[in-house]
Amino acid sequence: MVGTSFLTRFADCQAVLASSDFLVPDLEWCERELPEWREHPAADFFYTSMLGSNGARHERLRRLVAAAFTPRRVAGLRATVEKISAELLDGFADALAGGGTADFQDLVGYPLPVAVVGELIGVPRGDQAQFRALGQGASRLLEPVRTVEDWARADRAVAALREYFAGLLRERRVSPADDLASALLLMRDTDQGRLSERELVDTLILVFVAGFETATGMLGLTVFALLTHPDQAALVREDPGLAPAAVEESLRWDAPVLMTERIAARPVEVGGVAIPAGGSVTTVLGAANRDPARHPEPDAFTVRRPDVRVLSFSAGAHYCLGAALARVEGAVLIGQLLSRFPGLGQAGQPVRRASIGLRSFDVLPLARAG
């Protein structure tokens, strides 16, 4: 990435992400650095969304969505996560029957997060299969350097997602339900809300895509980490209470989001380096999580590591609202998977996604040993 300072120490990355001296790239940044942004529906979506906004606008959008991710709401979704996980693992077991091989990502890693966030937002199960390709297309916006094809894929995905969620909102106006889509409609004309139609649609897109893209990566990475460290998998199998710790260690050891950019709002110094106003810094989350000053023996994967703290869900004003839900999904799934499939192992070469900014498996083939 040209014109950016890369930060790899945990303390420096955490300080930047938590500091009001740094902003996410937004529309003002677009006008300066991406003058052709209006040609791209994906840029219009990304840099006006909660993820690409700062200050009062970001606070307003975040406050509205935060109601969907309260500790009480997340706790209430745990039973849903357990039910969906069990159903998906039933299908996974069928695929493994008779010595077969099954792609974990295709059968579990993708459909679990999309079903959970679909339940939260109000996307019917029958509509969810189409979102894998659309989510991967929209996620090209998270690449630090975007090619012409990246923009084309992202533009197509955003156009399709906007059409879908506009239709979902039309349905919810006629038939409200107990979901985020209906809740946002109720708030749109209140003093608290004041959401435009485009803001409603784009907020649902962001929550939906962000709710399963990184969680899908996290699930596959956690399963891979445990299966390639069978002694650690055995510890979790013997003590299912270690499942949340295993997820946290996986988030540290192999983060689903490798890096994120910030722009200096004013001249500032980071790690002894002067950053001018408007200067770009890239926090390399994958490196920060393995900073030996924060986590001794950082390359070791151990589920009993004490005092794990990760930046995998960012920090500060843009800390991921869905982090708690993703952790629940991971812990529930890992507990069920290791209990039901004690002889599980790799069955071929996994295929990682072609991405600089995201870590995920496109294919993770598994089979029962023996």
Side-chain angles (χ1 to χ4, degrees):
M1 182 183 298
V2 177
T4 191
S5 297
F6 287 90
L7 307 179
T8 58
R9 293 186 298 208
F10 186 96
D12 291 340
C13 290
Q14 184 180 48
V16 165
L17 294 172
S19 174
S20 60
D21 289 334
F22 288 91
L23 307 173
V24 297
D26 57 11
L27 278 182
E28 183 178 340
W29 177 89
C30 271
E31 294 288 355
R32 185 175 69 249
E33 303 290 340
L34 192 68
E36 71 277 13
W37 71 272
R38 289 182 179 83
E39 301 171 13
H40 297 291
D44 175 65
F45 157 70
F46 188 78
Y47 293 109
T48 60
S49 73
M50 181 171 60
L51 201 62
S53 60
N54 295 290
R57 175 179 172 79
H58 173 259
E59 291 172 6
R60 176 173 63 92
L61 293 172
R62 186 179 177 91
R63 184 172 61 250
L64 293 170
V65 177
F69 293 100
T70 62
R72 181 177 179 180
R73 185 68 180 267
V74 171
L77 282 168
R78 186 179 184 91
T80 299
V81 174
E82 292 172 346
K83 179 176 182 293
I84 296 172
S85 294
E87 292 172 354
L88 293 173
L89 289 178
D90 286 343
F92 188 67
D94 291 342
L96 294 176
T101 297
D103 178 3
F104 172 84
Q105 289 297 84
D106 185 51
L107 295 178
V108 183
Y110 159 74
L112 174 59
V114 77
V116 173
V117 76
E119 177 81 11
L120 178 73
I121 289 177
V123 176
R125 291 287 291 271
D127 291 351
Q128 292 170 7
Q130 63 184 301
F131 287 103
R132 183 172 191 173
L134 293 177
Q136 290 183 355
S139 71
R140 302 310 294 177
L141 291 165
L142 297 176
E143 293 302 305
V145 179
R146 299 154 188 163
T147 66
V148 172
E149 179 55 28
D150 286 336
W151 277 115
R153 287 183 62 188
D155 286 341
R156 290 193 296 268
V158 167
L161 288 164
R162 278 176 164 170
E163 181 179 0
Y164 176 85
F165 282 103
L168 180 65
L169 287 170
R170 286 194 295 270
E171 292 178 11
R172 288 297 179 270
R173 286 189 179 92
V174 177
S175 302
D178 182 20
D179 55 37
L180 181 61
S182 300
L184 289 180
L185 280 171
L186 287 173
M187 289 189 285
R188 74 164 293 182
D189 294 323
T190 67
D191 289 338
Q192 181 186 9
R194 300 275 182 214
L195 287 170
S196 68
E197 186 71 15
R198 175 56 58 82
E199 285 178 323
L200 273 173
V201 170
D202 285 359
T203 295
L204 290 178
I205 293 173
L206 179 64
V207 172
F208 192 67
V209 173
F212 74 81
E213 266 297 299
T214 53
T216 292
M218 179 198 72
L219 293 177
L221 295 168
T222 302
V223 169
F224 180 79
L226 286 165
L227 294 184
T228 52
H229 296 81
D231 58 325
Q232 300 303 302
L235 290 175
V236 181
R237 196 173 283 114
E238 294 164 6
D239 180 4
L242 286 173
V247 172
E248 207 67 15
E249 175 68 345
S250 173
L251 287 166
R252 185 201 66 80
W253 193 72
D254 200 358
V257 179
L258 281 180
M259 61 186 71
T260 187
E261 185 183 13
R262 293 293 186 269
I263 309 299
R266 55 191 62 86
V268 65
E269 185 176 294
V270 180
V273 176
I275 307 295
S280 167
V281 298
T282 295
T283 58
V284 187
L285 309 180
N289 288 336
R290 289 203 186 194
D291 181 354
R294 181 64 191 82
H295 299 107
E297 298 185 44
D299 295 336
F301 178 84
T302 171
V303 299
R304 286 184 170 151
R305 179 182 295 275
D307 192 27
V308 176
R309 291 176 61 194
V310 299
L311 296 176
S312 307
F313 293 112
S314 192
H318 283 266
Y319 181 76
C320 177
L321 282 169
L325 182 57
R327 286 177 164 114
V328 168
E329 292 175 23
V332 167
L333 186 279
I334 290 303
Q336 292 188 6
L337 182 78
L338 294 180
S339 173
R340 292 184 60 173
F341 304 94
L344 198 62
Q346 290 188 76
Q349 188 66 31
V351 179
R352 288 189 182 268
R353 180 178 301 186
S355 172
I356 297 173
L358 298 178
R359 294 277 285 180
S360 185
F361 288 104
D362 282 339
V363 180
L364 184 56
L366 305 178
R368 295 179 190 269

